[in-house]
């Protein structure tokens, strides 16, 4: 992040604007929305700037810039057509540790101004760091259309009740849940219709009621195979509402970025043959957090009920009397196959799909090999890379030909995705040559023969 966004208190801010043409006037108009004290220095002024001077909204020094003009200033905008003057002022400001913005000269700026969607006191600021101004404009247009004009009224109404809500609810979680009920329900709709008195009375009534806040609960949420764009809307909504997020190793950093910033994040990651937190401790953690009144999201790679141990966690929640819900996610088999260009079913190659884990609860690989080693089906092994020699040996011993096609998909659906194909005879050597590491998915069957053709024609193919 090259430019870090900040919201500056403008109550006592002193701002200098050098230049008084139309560009400088636009910066002035932006600052006139704040409480800052504005001084303009320029030998010539356009009509719009003179209008603000005549209204006594800015102080004008109608002359050339002097370095002494920087004395006491806390923010400087430079908008002249004299490049050397712009460079000189930028150098002076940086030497004096005064933030400076030189219009249309990013290299001379110590700060840049964002594109703003103004619903004061709610302000949305967008920036591309000067790299994509057209994209920025399009995003702002979308946000302007999405955010109701009366959102400012709703924000001010909420602010007027902050102290009362603090008095009514002692914990941060209780207050957050209360405001979510207000802002996501009928009260907010009433305020956005302009019926502020009615909305205020509804808030008063809700505060006066003796109804307790909802007890803690747990949401088992499937995070999908890695690409954040594969999250469901419901998953994203719950991630933004969680008090605590319990996540594992298969949840990508990009997906964690979408979790609410102030939510507590607890890592309980696992990898092959190494469990940093035993499953029974994870189960108890979920129960304890919910009993403490927390809204818990158990974020799992793929789908919670497909080799995600979601069933074990639900059993513990049921025994403890904890309310829960399960949000399905795109399982790794579907994600890996789609992004690798390998269809899981195809009338010419496979009429069924079998999903299997290469590690059972006791870390064995004791599977029903005769049932797995059948033709005209696709096999998908989860968590199977370390067991690859066993898989290849057992499938051949139970009837599959040595030239049966097999694919290994590492870090499926992410920018690091890597696909290695081969046969049951040679895939071990190919995997070693490619230095594949978990997490990786194994796909076995005739559908793998379509990999090169299907992947080459796919938009955004990673291989």
């Amino acid at each position: 992040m090259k430019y870090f966004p900040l919201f500056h208190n403008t109550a006592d801010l002193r701002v200098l604007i050098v230049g008084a043409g139309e560009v400088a006037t636009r910066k002035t108009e932006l600052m006139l929305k704040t409480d800052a004290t504005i001084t303009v220095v320029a030998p010539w002024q356009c009509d719009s700037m003179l209008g603000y001077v005549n209204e006594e909204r800015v102080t004008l020094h109608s002359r050339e810039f002097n370095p002494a003009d920087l004395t006491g200033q806390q923010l400087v905008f430079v908008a002249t057509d004299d490049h050397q003057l712009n460079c000189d002022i930028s150098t002076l400001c940086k030497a004096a540790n005064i933030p400076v913005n030189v219009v249309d000269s990013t290299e001379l700026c110590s700060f840049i101004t964002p594109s703003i969607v103004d619903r004061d006191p709610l302000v949305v600021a967008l920036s591309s760091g000067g790299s994509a101004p057209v994209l920025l404009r399009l995003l702002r247009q979308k946000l302007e259309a999405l955010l109701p004009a009366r959102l400012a009224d709703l924000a001010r109404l909420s602010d007027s009740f902050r102290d009362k809500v603090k008095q009514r609810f002692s914990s941060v979680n209780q207050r957050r849940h209360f405001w979510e009920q207000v802002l996501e329900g009928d009260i907010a709709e009433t305020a956005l219709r302009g019926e502020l008195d009615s909305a205020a009375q509804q808030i008063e009534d809700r505060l006066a009621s003796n109804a307790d806040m909802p007890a803690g609960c747990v949401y088992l949420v499937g995070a999908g195979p890695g690409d954040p764009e594969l999250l469901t809307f419901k998953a994203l909504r719950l991630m933004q509402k969680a008090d605590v997020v319990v996540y594992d190793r298969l949840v990508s950093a990009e997906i964690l970025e979408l979790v609410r910033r102030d939510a507590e994040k607890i890592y309980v990651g696992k990898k092959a043959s190494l469990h940093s937190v035993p499953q029974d401790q994870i189960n108890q953690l979920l129960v304890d957090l919910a009993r403490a009144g927390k809204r818990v999201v158990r974020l799992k790679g793929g789908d919670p009920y497909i080799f995600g141990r979601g069933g074990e966690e639900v059993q513990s929640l049921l025994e403890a009397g904890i309310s829960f819900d399960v949000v399905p996610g795109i399982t790794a088999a579907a994600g890996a196959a789609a992004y690798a260009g390998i269809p899981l079913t195809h009338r010419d190659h496979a009429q069924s799909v079998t999903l299997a884990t290469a590690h059972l609860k006791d870390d064995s690989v004791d599977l029903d090999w005769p049932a797995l080693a059948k033709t005209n089906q696709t096999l998908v092994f989860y968590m199977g890379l370390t067991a690859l020699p066993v898989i290849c040996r057992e499938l051949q011993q139970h009837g599959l030909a040595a030239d049966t096609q097999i694919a290994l998909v590492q870090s499926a659906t992410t920018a690091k995705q890597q696909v290695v194909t081969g046969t049951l005879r040679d895939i071990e050597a190919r995997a070693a040559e490619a230095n594949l590491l978990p997490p990786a998915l194994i796909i076995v069957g005739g559908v793998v023969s379509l990999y090169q053709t299907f992947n080459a024609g796919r938009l955004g193919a990673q291989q």
Side-chain angles (χ1 to χ4, degrees):
M1 189 185 300
K2 186 175 180 180
Y3 293 96
F4 186 78
L6 294 171
F7 285 88
H8 202 98
N9 187 343
T10 64
D12 299 307
L13 189 68
R14 296 183 298 278
V15 177
L16 174 67
I17 298 177
V18 183
E22 293 297 338
V23 175
T25 300
R26 288 199 295 271
K27 296 297 183 183
T28 303
E29 290 169 345
L30 189 64
M31 296 310 301
L32 284 172
K33 295 182 178 182
T34 74
D35 296 326
T37 300
I38 304 169
T39 300
V40 176
V41 174
W44 171 89
Q45 302 84 39
C46 69
D47 291 341
S48 299
M49 184 68 82
L50 285 174
Y52 295 130
V53 172
N54 294 334
E55 294 171 4
E56 298 183 348
R57 302 182 67 184
V58 302
T59 299
L60 173 66
H61 297 309
S62 185
R63 55 171 172 75
E64 297 288 351
F65 168 81
N66 187 301
D69 291 325
L70 297 177
T71 302
Q73 301 297 336
Q74 297 167 296
L75 203 68
V76 175
F77 290 94
V78 184
T80 80
D81 55 7
D82 185 333
H83 179 69
Q84 187 57 53
L85 176 61
N86 294 347
C87 291
D88 293 343
I89 298 175
S90 173
T91 300
L92 290 170
C93 288
K94 291 175 181 177
N97 290 322
I98 303 173
V100 60
N101 176 273
V102 182
V103 177
D104 291 334
S105 298
T106 308
E107 72 280 2
L108 299 179
C109 298
S110 60
F111 77 94
I112 58 177
T113 54
S115 180
I116 292 174
V117 180
D118 187 5
R119 301 290 188 272
D120 186 47
L122 181 66
V123 178
V124 180
L126 300 168
S127 173
S128 68
S131 61
V134 175
L135 176 61
L136 194 63
R137 176 173 56 80
L138 293 174
L139 287 175
R140 180 186 171 186
Q141 288 175 356
K142 291 181 182 295
L143 283 174
E144 287 281 10
L146 285 172
L147 300 180
R150 287 200 174 101
L151 208 55
D153 293 335
L154 181 58
R156 284 189 284 268
L157 179 64
S158 301
D159 183 58
S160 69
F161 278 92
R162 285 185 65 191
D163 290 341
K164 288 185 178 181
V165 172
K166 284 183 179 180
Q167 294 170 7
R168 172 67 175 81
F169 301 110
S170 58
S171 78
V172 172
N173 285 335
Q174 287 179 324
R175 294 196 289 271
R176 182 184 300 120
H177 294 176
F178 172 84
W179 281 121
E180 285 172 351
Q181 290 178 352
V182 168
L183 297 175
E184 294 178 355
D186 293 339
I187 296 177
E189 292 299 324
T190 301
L192 293 175
R193 289 196 302 268
E195 302 170 17
L196 297 179
D197 291 341
S198 178
Q201 186 58 55
Q202 291 179 56
I203 296 177
E204 291 279 12
D205 294 343
R206 181 160 295 189
L207 285 171
S209 71
N210 293 321
D212 293 329
M213 296 304 296
C217 59
V218 177
Y219 296 94
L220 276 67
V221 175
D227 185 345
E229 293 189 356
L230 296 181
L231 283 168
T232 64
F233 287 128
K234 187 171 185 178
L236 183 59
R237 177 171 59 83
L238 292 174
M239 288 162 60
Q240 286 289 317
K241 294 175 67 172
D243 301 316
V244 183
V245 174
V246 179
Y247 68 100
D248 59 41
R249 178 172 171 264
L250 296 179
V251 177
S252 68
E254 292 80 6
I255 287 175
L256 284 175
E257 278 292 313
L258 301 176
V259 172
R260 203 185 76 233
R261 291 291 178 190
D262 55 342
E264 181 183 1
K265 301 178 185 68
I266 301 176
Y267 175 67
V268 291
K270 305 175 183 178
K271 56 184 176 181
S273 303
L274 179 59
H275 294 196
S276 60
V277 181
Q279 186 61 47
D280 59 347
Q281 292 185 26
I282 295 175
N283 298 346
Q284 189 59 49
L285 174 65
L286 298 178
V287 170
D288 292 343
L289 290 169
R291 283 177 172 166
K294 302 295 181 67
R295 184 162 41 200
V296 184
V297 163
R298 172 65 169 111
L299 198 57
K300 293 174 169 291
D303 181 276
Y305 277 179
I306 301 180
F307 304 123
R309 291 196 167 181
E312 298 173 47
E313 293 171 358
V314 163
Q315 285 179 325
S316 296
L317 296 172
L318 284 169
E319 292 169 3
I322 301 298
S323 298
F324 70 92
D325 196 8
V326 179
V327 180
I330 293 178
T331 188
Y339 276 57
I342 301 173
L344 290 177
T345 63
H346 189 287
R347 287 191 297 176
D348 295 335
H349 299 278
Q351 288 75 51
S352 64
V353 179
T354 298
L355 308 181
T357 175
H359 285 280
L360 302 183
K361 192 171 184 179
D362 59 358
D363 285 334
S364 69
V365 197
D366 186 16
L367 301 175
D368 185 357
W369 295 110
L372 294 174
K374 292 181 178 179
T375 58
N376 298 319
Q377 72 169 337
T378 301
L379 300 177
V380 180
F381 291 93
Y382 287 66
M383 299 165 284
L385 195 57
T386 57
L388 183 60
V390 176
I391 292 171
C392 292
R393 182 187 71 236
E394 293 294 334
L395 289 177
Q396 291 180 76
Q397 287 182 355
H398 288 84
L400 283 187
D403 61 357
T404 300
Q405 298 271 341
I406 182 171
L408 310 179
V409 187
Q410 175 183 281
S411 302
T413 78
T414 73
K416 298 179 180 178
Q417 176 174 301
Q418 185 176 359
V419 181
V420 175
T421 61
T423 65
L424 292 178
R425 180 189 298 112
D426 63 13
I427 193 63
E428 293 177 55
R430 294 190 177 209
E433 183 180 351
N435 194 30
L436 290 187
L437 298 171
L441 203 79
I442 301 174
I443 304 175
V444 182
V447 292
V448 178
S449 65
L450 302 171
Y451 161 67
Q452 294 289 351
T453 302
F454 281 25
N455 187 65
R458 185 176 64 85
L459 289 172
Q462 298 186 28
Q463 298 295 318

